[in-house]
Amino acid sequence: MFRHQGKSRTLKHNLQIATVLSFVAGIVNVTGFLAIQELTTNVTGHFAQFIYELENLKFWKGTIYLLFILSFLLGSFCSSILILKFREIKRINVFVLPTLAEALILVTAAILAQSSEIQYPNTIACLLLFSMGMQNAFVTKISNEIVRTTHLTGLFTDLGIELAHLFFPKMHPNIQKVKSNIELRMVIISFFFMGGLLGGFCYSTLGFKTNNLIIGAIILILSLFYDDLRFSLIKTKRRFNQKKIRNN
């Protein structure tokens, strides 16, 4: 799901990566909100807060929300820089680096929050927003701008448009593509929701608190291992088949 790019990428690959990353984003979203009462997967609300604080001449509070916004932007920027820098090296899967970086940042935020009363809520918010900016950038890159997993506003908009298209099939000859897009949006929304449910349950009921973020990091790393293992098995199978053909 991480390796296939461009024309070789299929709906199945996008569904796989959307499942993993939207689930992680759901965990981060709920954990961040419960721990520090801030939105940590998108910046829409922070823009409103930034303007509100400026209008009330509370410039320091406004600066904090501006930092939240810039953290998401910087995460997206750094993710794209990593992808572009290592794209020419064919032996390296360029999407491994931002994924590992995201996992490391989630673990760092979890460790930083290990206290009964979180001492650095703004720093944790910046770290989580940075990680979600990274995720949103590399999943957008890998899916050719089809998949986005950290916020739902655009997804619900696209879903509403595509559902309307189903009622006018004659105007959309490639109706199968519309149905595939609907399936993809529904998967992202569903797994974001399930990640949020798991995050809330583990945070409050099981008492995991911000250790939920470590769960998200583990899921990311396991998805990379799965992807590499599957790729290695495919390569081994191809070599075996080629050798078998030559011997015959």
Side-chain angles (χ1 to χ4, degrees), residues 10 15 56 100 103 109 115 120 159 170 177 187 197 201 213:
T10 65
L15 286 171
N56 287 278
L100 288 175
S115 63
Y120 309 103
L159 181 61
K170 292 182 180 179
K177 184 178 179 181
V187 164
L197 280 179
F201 177 76
L213 301 174

Side-chain angles (χ1 to χ4, degrees), residues 2-244:
F2 288 93
R3 290 182 175 275
H4 291 85
Q5 303 170 43
K7 293 181 180 179
S8 67
R9 192 157 188 86
T10 65
L11 174 64
K12 181 181 177 181
H13 300 136
N14 285 337
L15 286 171
Q16 287 175 335
I17 200 165
T19 297
V20 172
L21 296 184
S22 59
F23 191 79
V24 171
I27 292 174
V28 173
N29 186 50
V30 167
T31 303
F33 186 76
L34 291 176
I36 56 176
Q37 288 74 56
E38 294 289 355
L39 300 173
T40 54
T41 59
N42 66 83
V43 296
T44 307
H46 297 314
F47 265 105
Q49 291 282 359
F50 172 60
I51 295 168
Y52 175 79
E53 299 299 349
L54 288 185
E55 285 181 344
N56 287 278
L57 303 180
K58 297 179 180 179
F59 297 112
W60 173 242
K61 284 190 176 181
T63 301
I64 291 171
Y65 288 109
L66 179 61
L67 286 174
F68 290 171
I69 296 165
L70 293 177
S71 295
F72 192 94
L73 174 64
L74 185 60
S76 177
F77 173 79
C78 291
S79 182
S80 299
I81 286 289
L82 284 172
I83 292 167
L84 293 171
K85 183 173 179 60
F86 291 96
R87 175 159 277 172
E88 294 180 357
I89 306 174
K90 302 299 183 183
R91 293 183 179 181
I92 295 178
N93 180 0
V94 293
F95 297 101
V96 168
L97 295 173
T99 307
L100 288 175
E102 180 187 345
L104 179 61
I105 292 166
L106 291 180
V107 172
T108 302
I111 294 172
L112 192 62
Q114 291 303 313
S115 63
S116 56
E117 186 175 339
I118 296 174
Q119 298 179 1
Y120 309 103
N122 294 331
T123 303
I124 292 168
C126 286
L127 285 172
L128 296 182
L129 284 162
F130 183 91
S131 70
M132 290 296 98
M134 292 197 80
Q135 176 175 305
N136 211 40
F138 77 71
V139 76
T140 300
K141 281 275 189 182
I142 195 173
S143 67
N144 299 317
E145 301 184 0
I146 295 174
V147 179
R148 287 181 176 84
T149 58
T150 63
H151 52 278
L152 301 183
T153 307
L155 282 169
F156 274 102
T157 302
D158 293 339
L159 181 61
I161 292 170
E162 287 154 355
L163 286 172
H165 288 171
L166 293 179
F167 291 90
F168 301 92
K170 292 182 180 179
M171 296 176 65
H172 300 279
N174 194 358
I175 199 68
Q176 190 57 45
K177 184 178 179 181
V178 174
K179 291 180 179 179
S180 296
N181 287 337
I182 290 172
E183 181 184 0
L184 181 62
R185 315 290 182 211
M186 292 296 293
V187 164
I188 295 172
I189 292 168
S190 298
F191 276 86
F192 190 95
F193 178 72
M194 285 190 282
L197 280 179
L198 178 67
F201 177 76
C202 291
Y203 188 99
S204 301
T205 305
L206 300 183
F208 283 11
K209 303 297 181 183
T210 52
N211 286 328
N212 281 349
L213 301 174
I214 297 177
I215 296 175
I218 291 171
I219 292 171
L220 289 172
I221 293 169
L222 287 176
S223 68
L224 288 177
F225 275 117
Y226 165 80
D227 208 45
D228 283 342
L229 178 61
R230 187 170 176 273
F231 183 70
S232 298
L233 288 173
I234 291 172
K235 283 178 64 177
T236 302
K237 185 177 179 181
R238 284 176 181 172
R239 288 173 184 169
F240 177 78
N241 290 336
Q242 289 172 358
K243 187 177 180 181
K244 189 176 181 181

